[in-house]
Structures are given as C-alpha cells and as structure tokens.
Amino acid sequence: MVSAICWGLEALKSKNWTGKVLHMARHDGPLAVLKEIAAARTLLRLPAKHKALSNLEQYVAKRVEMMDYPAASLGSDVVWRKRLS
C-alpha cells in the first residue's frame, strides 16, 4: 500500500490520503489522481517513498481510459434509461 509506505500504516495522514485519492478516482477521474500523486511526491524526500508513488503513477497512467469512472457513470445512466424505455 503506497500510503503506508509514505506515511505509515496506521497514520491518520495515510488513511486520509487514501480516502482522498479513492474519492478523486470515483468523482474526478484518473487525471486528478495523477496530479495528486505528483503533488504528494513533491512533499516526500526518501527514495523509497518516491518509488512507491512512481509505481502507483505508472499503474494509473496505464489505465486512464479504464479508470475514467465519472465518464463511465454518465454513459451507464444513458444506457440504463434506454433499457427502461
């Protein structure tokens, strides 16, 4: 878990950051998540923390289209309405 590496497993900062990133993924999309990862990297200095964030960044970057939940939820609403008609 990236947040555990960066801020500690039980740290409140770790839990808050994880919640923030998951919320961003669902509501703002993967580009917002990538920006948040980049912002977090500027605050941390240890190479292991930078590596953990870089690995997460690469994971998200490879799946941008697949993780575009805001756009997908809009599309599913249209599909759902068509099925009900």
Side-chain angles (χ1 to χ4, degrees):
M1 176 181 278
V2 173
S3 61
I5 293 169
C6 293
W7 295 284
L9 185 60
E10 295 297 321
L12 183 60
K13 172 76 175 171
S14 176
K15 292 176 183 180
N16 288 342
W17 191 81
T18 300
K20 178 180 179 180
V21 169
L22 291 174
H23 179 83
M24 291 173 109
R26 282 190 301 266
H27 298 283
D28 303 322
L31 298 180
V33 172
L34 290 170
K35 287 179 184 176
E36 177 59 30
I37 294 168
R41 192 175 26 247
T42 65
L43 301 174
L44 303 171
R45 297 179 187 240
L46 291 177
K49 295 178 180 187
H50 276 246
K51 182 158 177 61
L53 288 167
S54 291
N55 289 343
L56 179 60
E57 184 178 49
Q58 290 171 12
Y59 179 88
V60 172
K62 288 179 183 176
R63 294 160 177 83
V64 166
E65 287 183 26
M66 200 170 33
M67 294 176 65
D68 196 359
Y69 303 126
S73 67
L74 292 174
S76 65
D77 184 47
V78 171
V79 171
W80 179 253
R81 288 183 187 179
K82 285 183 181 177
R83 286 183 188 165
L84 292 176
S85 300

